[in-house]
Amino acid sequence: YTEVRPYKEQILDLAYERFKRTDNQRSAYEQFCVAHREWLDDYALFVVIKKYHSGIAWGQWEKGLRERQAKGLKRINTDFSDSVEREKFLQYLFYQQWLDLKKYCNEREIALIGDIPIYVSYDSADVWTNTDIFKLTDDLKPQFVAGVPPDYFSPTGQLWGNPVYCWDAIKKLKFRWWLQRIAHNLQLFDALRIDHFRGFVAYWEVPATAETAVSGAWVEAPAAEFFSSLNKKFPGVNLIAEDLGLITPEVKQVMQQFGFPGMRVLQFAFSEDLPEHPYLPHNYVQNCIAYTGTHDNNTSRGWFEHEASSDDRQRLCRYIGRELPSADVPRELIRLSMRSVAHTVITPMQDVLGLGIEARMNRPSTAEGNWEWRLLPEQPDPAAGDMLLQFTHIYGRE
């Protein structure tokens, strides 16, 4: 990505200069700016100011810009007007191309699922322009940050560092910011997966000065009121709740109340609590999304070969009814998910192709080496296509 960025920047500069000279997209561009004014103007300003400050976080800008004083913002709009318009034009290009892609997919009965992280980065236009809905100090630094408490996997918990929401303020504003965020994403996607869904019911709040998540505390959020407002604004909205991990009865109640499907990941199913594990196919409910693994997991073959314990492997083989060579594992997990009662099944392409650890997409909590796997033109295998066609027909998923 480091090598690609300057190359792409040169191309985008050429596109912007040509746009200014010819004006052949001016009308469409101006319509885009009007339609997206609610976020676009502030976003473009944020990017330009950040470049002007050599990339430092907005909390370290001079007071006039940090606090969004009118005089300071006007100066940027005047002195850097061309740079501001360039950022808007780049967003116009992106949305134009993305919506063309979405139209192409939808015309072929392919739906796009968007993934919405519950939190945003502190150093973002979201926080800079909406400081009243986050728990910040008087000098606009995070007062509390997000994370999860200590558990079996981590004795100190996870400290994510994102600023947490001030839900009382969001509620007073009738959830406006969140409803706008959902509305924006519904233009781009056909369904939305909400990451860390349990944080809408109660979230782990850690003092910003803490070095680990141990000193955090659970804080309740107005989940029922928020999702009632969401359903009223967007009747029938297609949401998926990311409900992995330790989920409380309160979280399950909210999901049931609003009919949100949760997730079932087969790679997690073959632990010591077989046959009661909720991710085993015989325990599925219809209103759920079944995965062999997600973008955060190893490939199914990589999991079997490098991560599953010998007991996990034995339990999987007993569940299938035969000894499995690692090459057969992805196919058998796909079969298990497809013949379950889950109304939707999602299978990573790496599992469709039976690839190993070399094709893993992402390793959580690591900053390097992620999101680099690509499906190359010669990789799709006719045999894999035949398998999907066969399973789709046999298990009635047409």
Side-chain angles (χ1 to χ4, degrees), residues 8 28 35 58 64 131 159 161 165 196 199 207 216 237 273 303 320 338 344 387 392:
K8 289 286 184 74
W58 69 267
T131 55
L159 193 61
Y165 298 107
H196 195 57
V237 62
D273 48 355
W303 162 77
I320 295 295
M338 279 198 155
T344 301
M387 173 193 70
T392 299

Side-chain angles (χ1 to χ4, degrees), residues 97-134:
Q97 294 175 14
W98 179 266
L99 293 177
D100 283 346
L101 172 64
K102 184 176 184 296
K103 181 174 182 289
Y104 179 90
C105 291
N106 291 167
E107 287 175 350
R108 289 154 179 80
E109 299 185 7
I110 298 170
L112 300 180
I113 300 177
D115 194 74
I116 302 184
I118 183 173
Y119 294 116
V120 296
S121 169
Y122 169 73
D123 190 23
S124 66
D126 292 285
V127 180
W128 179 58
T129 59
N130 298 280
T131 55
D132 55 333
I133 66 170
F134 295 91

Side-chain angles (χ1 to χ4, degrees), residues 103-370:
K103 181 174 182 289
Y104 179 90
C105 291
N106 291 167
E107 287 175 350
R108 289 154 179 80
E109 299 185 7
I110 298 170
L112 300 180
I113 300 177
D115 194 74
I116 302 184
I118 183 173
Y119 294 116
V120 296
S121 169
Y122 169 73
D123 190 23
S124 66
D126 292 285
V127 180
W128 179 58
T129 59
N130 298 280
T131 55
D132 55 333
I133 66 170
F134 295 91
K135 291 187 177 180
L136 306 178
T137 62
D138 291 339
D139 60 351
L140 302 180
K141 298 297 190 341
Q143 183 179 9
F144 297 96
V145 295
V148 290
D151 57 20
Y152 174 80
F153 301 100
S154 174
T156 59
Q158 296 181 36
L159 193 61
W160 298 336
N162 308 79
V164 297
Y165 298 107
C166 181
W167 278 103
D168 288 342
I170 294 176
K171 183 178 173 181
K172 287 179 182 178
L173 295 170
K174 299 182 179 179
F175 306 104
R176 181 173 178 268
W177 183 85
W178 260 106
L179 295 178
Q180 288 176 335
R181 192 180 188 199
I182 297 294
H184 182 79
N185 279 273
L186 287 175
Q187 296 176 40
L188 306 177
F189 305 104
D190 301 293
L192 302 175
R193 172 188 175 273
I194 298 188
D195 186 56
H196 195 57
F197 182 86
R198 71 106 51 249
F200 287 95
V201 181
Y203 59 93
W204 190 248
E205 177 181 274
V206 185
T209 55
E211 295 183 359
T212 72
V214 171
S215 59
W218 288 110
V219 180
E220 290 186 4
E225 293 168 271
F226 167 60
F227 288 116
S228 293
S229 298
L230 184 65
N231 274 353
K232 185 177 180 180
K233 179 77 172 178
F234 310 106
V237 62
N238 192 354
L239 292 185
I240 301 168
E242 187 274 290
D243 60 341
L244 305 179
L246 296 174
I247 301 300
T248 64
E250 291 80 8
V251 177
K252 294 178 181 178
Q253 180 181 345
V254 171
M255 292 177 61
Q256 292 171 0
Q257 178 181 349
F258 295 97
F260 298 144
M263 299 172 59
R264 306 291 187 272
V265 181
L266 273 171
Q267 286 186 27
F268 297 152
F270 301 98
S271 58
E272 294 178 359
D273 48 355
L274 183 149
E276 290 82 14
H277 200 290
Y279 292 175
L280 287 166
H282 67 266
N283 292 323
Y284 287 179
V285 295
Q286 186 175 8
N287 188 32
C288 74
I289 316 291
Y291 297 75
T292 53
T294 75
H295 58 274
D296 285 335
N297 292 93
N298 205 331
T299 66
S300 289
R301 183 170 182 169
W303 162 77
F304 189 81
E305 291 177 339
H306 299 280
E307 295 180 7
S309 67
S310 59
D311 288 340
D312 292 339
R313 294 194 291 269
Q314 289 177 13
R315 282 187 284 264
L316 170 60
C317 293
R318 290 204 306 271
Y319 196 83
I320 295 295
R322 67 181 178 91
E323 289 296 317
L324 287 176
S326 60
D328 288 357
V329 169
R331 178 188 180 94
E332 292 306 317
L333 291 186
I334 294 171
R335 187 197 302 272
L336 283 177
S337 62
M338 279 198 155
R339 73 184 185 189
S340 73
V341 298
H343 67 57
T344 301
V345 171
I346 296 178
T347 306
M349 184 58 72
Q350 294 96 317
D351 286 353
V352 173
L353 299 178
L355 302 179
I357 192 173
E358 75 283 352
R360 181 168 185 166
M361 185 72 78
N362 183 54
R363 292 170 176 80
S365 301
T366 60
E368 302 293 332
N370 294 320

